[in-house]
Structure formats: C-alpha cells, structure tokens
Amino acid sequence: MSRQPESTMRRVLRFTLIVLLLPVILPLATLGLVLHVLNKAVVYLLVWLWWWPRGKDVLYVSSDSPIWKEYMEVEIFPLVAERAVVLSWSDRNKWPKWSFAVRVFHTFGGRRDFNPMVVLFRPFRRTRVFRFLPAFQERKHCNNASIEQLRGDLAQALGRNPG
C-alpha cells in the first residue's frame, strides 16, 4: 500500500502554522530551559551552603523492596551513613511537600532508575549519581558484576576502600 503524497496546499498550511507559532513556542522553550538551569543551580548552591556545613554531601534513596533492601542496608548504606540525607521511596506519600531533600531528589533523580540511588555532591563539580536499579536487574539474572562495580565506584568516589 503506497502513501499518497501530501498536497502542496497542505504543506503550505503546515509551514504557515509553524511560522505563526514559533514566536510563542521559542520564548516558552527558552523560559523552560532557563528555569531548569536556575533550579539546578539553586539546589547546588543550597546543598553547598546548607548540607555541607552539617557534614552532609550525599542523598540516599531506597525502599523496602525485598529485591534490594538487605543489600542496600548492609553493603551501601554503611558507606554513606554519617554523611547522607535519607529518603525512603516506600514512605514517599509522607514526604513533606516543601522538603529540601525532596526537591534535591526531584532535581537529580530524574524519571527513571531513581530507586535505589545515591547522589554524591562534590565541591564545585557535577554530582555523581549512582543508580542501582539496572544493576539489581542484572543481579536477578545471576550477574553480580555490575552491582559490585557500582559499589566499588561509589566507595572510590567517597574516598573509601571498596573492599
């Protein structure tokens, strides 16, 4: 079945519509980009000014999932315990709406593979985000290499001996 070519009139109409909407779309897209960058910059600044003086440079997010709860509590949490702000994804319905930790989570967690996760803030550099979900998915298929590599990378980034 062949597709019939689009008529010239229809192409002209589509082009005209796009040209007419560009003055509205471009400023909105620019504003969205500026607000996104501004949010990230303000969150970084507040972490540096508010969390760091209190010895906190890690956001630790996990949940009560039987797939990773024990591993995260035994292998990962001890690496970051004294320097972490902790959020439980299982208790997200109890998270305060205006919590700074929740804003940090939404800013750096993204929309995929955010649980379990460790976000490490470093002085005047980009954050390091350690997303454990893909490693746990591989572990389910008897591949422990990814999770051990991720744990080692986290330990190294924290300045600890990965062993």
Side-chain angles (χ1 to χ4, degrees):
M1 192 180 264
S2 67
R3 190 173 158 196
Q4 294 200 358
E6 192 174 26
S7 72
T8 306
M9 182 64 171
R10 190 174 204 115
R11 282 188 282 169
V12 168
L13 186 61
R14 181 178 296 159
F15 178 76
T16 305
L17 184 63
I18 289 171
V19 169
L20 289 174
L21 288 178
L22 272 178
V24 174
I25 293 171
L26 284 177
L28 288 176
T30 302
L31 179 63
L33 181 64
V34 167
L35 290 176
H36 172 76
V37 170
L38 186 62
N39 173 62
K40 216 164 207 178
V42 167
V43 170
Y44 267 118
L45 184 65
L46 288 175
V47 165
W48 293 337
L49 294 175
W50 191 18
W51 282 5
W52 277 3
R54 297 184 351 212
K56 305 296 182 185
D57 63 350
V58 170
L59 175 67
Y60 174 89
V61 181
S62 192
S63 68
D64 295 334
S65 169
I67 297 169
W68 56 70
K69 182 177 172 42
E70 182 180 351
Y71 183 90
M72 292 300 290
E73 287 178 352
V74 172
E75 298 292 332
I76 304 302
F77 187 68
L79 294 174
V80 300
E82 72 276 357
R83 54 199 285 188
V85 174
V86 178
L87 286 175
S88 172
W89 181 251
S90 297
D91 295 332
R92 66 188 174 278
N93 58 342
K94 298 175 190 168
W95 288 355
K97 185 176 183 176
W98 298 103
S99 164
F100 180 62
V102 173
R103 168 58 36 212
V104 173
F105 168 75
H106 287 299
T107 300
F108 295 100
R111 294 190 172 150
R112 62 173 182 73
D113 302 339
F114 53 78
N115 178 37
M117 172 181 74
V118 173
V119 181
L120 173 62
F121 293 90
R122 302 171 299 166
F124 305 104
R125 296 189 312 190
R126 293 183 65 172
T127 59
R128 291 271 317 261
V129 180
F130 298 87
R131 298 177 188 278
F132 285 86
L133 182 60
F136 279 107
Q137 290 169 335
E138 288 185 30
R139 186 177 189 220
K140 185 168 60 174
H141 301 290
C142 299
N143 181 358
N144 288 330
S146 291
I147 199 155
E148 292 308 319
Q149 178 68 46
L150 194 55
R151 182 188 180 282
D153 291 347
L154 174 60
Q156 184 179 16
L158 292 166
R160 297 184 178 234
N161 184 356

